Amino acid sequence: MRASHFKGMILISFLTLALIGCDKGKGKSGEQKMQQVKSYEAKDYSHLIGMPGLTETALRLHFSLYQGYVNNTNKLLEEMKTLAEQGMANTPQYAELKRRFSFEFNGMKLHELFFENLGVTPSALSPNSSLYKALEASFGSFDSWQKDFIATAQIRGIGWAVLFYDPSAGRLMNAWINEHHVGLLSQCIPLLVLDVFEHAFIVDYQLDRASYIKAVMQQINWKVVETRFEGKQAM
Ligand SMILES: [Fe+2]
């Protein structure tokens, strides 16, 4: 075999391997595009039953309300998809479903954040933790933060008190979310979430929201809250 012929064969083999490599890449990317989008599923928070401050009746009622938000989120997604496929995306019916969506979706997500930051055996926030120090930096002291958070949770109306972190400024803020969808702070991370809809406390505390807040604030799983904060600090 002549040297030039041999070199030609090596070049062809190299190009063939390179093309196979490209095809493999295309296949991988194709698989990613075909990845299934999952429906939402209600998570199980029954481990909270027995926690001080909330009865089993109140918790089970709350879990079933949460299940409703998950169901409605899936239902709205399906209904909007069907309407869009039927060419009805410019109808008032479609617009109303779109408006409704953030209520159901955030209702689902905020409940998950709330249940996840509760604990049967609460964990305390260490004064040496980065979150504790960040609370001091934003509010002056942990007690000042807590006072402000409780005041936020006592705002008249139905909604949520949320401790948010804004990584762009290194700032922690207590915010009020009206219902589930009005008042969310864009690009901020919800660290601690407290449900103050009447359904959250009326079974155990009737209209005494202050006692409900006091009891639930003693059941915070700060390890979860810290995990949400870790790695999110401003550069
Ligand atoms: Fe709730």
Side-chain angles (χ1 to χ4, degrees), residues 78-206:
E78 278 304 310
E79 287 183 8
M80 288 189 292
K81 184 169 175 265
T82 303
L83 286 176
E85 285 168 357
Q86 290 170 347
M88 293 177 68
N90 291 325
T91 61
Q93 186 186 354
Y94 184 84
E96 284 311 306
L97 295 183
K98 278 279 181 192
R99 286 181 203 280
R100 181 84 189 166
F101 184 69
S102 60
F103 176 86
E104 301 291 354
F105 183 84
N106 290 337
M108 171 179 70
K109 291 288 185 182
L110 287 166
H111 275 102
E112 290 173 356
L113 289 164
F114 169 59
F115 292 136
E116 282 161 19
N117 64 216
L118 294 181
V120 175
T121 309
S123 64
L125 182 64
S126 164
N128 296 322
S129 66
S130 55
L131 177 56
Y132 193 100
K133 286 171 184 163
L135 285 167
E136 286 180 324
S138 287
F139 292 89
S141 68
F142 180 86
D143 287 346
S144 296
W145 163 76
Q146 193 170 50
K147 216 172 180 178
D148 186 71
F149 187 79
I150 289 170
T152 306
Q154 286 179 325
I155 288 173
R156 283 176 62 77
I158 48 171
W160 302 81
V162 180
L163 167 64
F164 278 106
Y165 179 58
D166 179 6
S168 73
R171 181 183 294 276
L172 288 157
M173 295 174 281
N174 294 322
W176 170 259
I177 296 177
N178 213 53
E179 296 192 60
H180 305 306
H181 56 313
V182 180
L184 276 163
L185 303 181
S186 295
Q187 293 195 310
C188 292
I189 298 149
L191 302 180
L192 174 64
V193 173
L194 176 60
D195 190 340
V196 285
F197 272 67
E198 280 157 3
H199 67 243
F201 58 87
I202 207 156
V203 174
D204 291 333
Y205 297 90
Q206 290 75 56

Side-chain angles (χ1 to χ4, degrees), residues 53-69:
L54 292 171
T55 60
E56 179 174 349
T57 306
L59 282 167
R60 288 203 186 277
L61 170 72
H62 214 160
F63 298 154
S64 66
L65 283 168
Y66 156 62
Q67 173 81 60
Y69 287 109

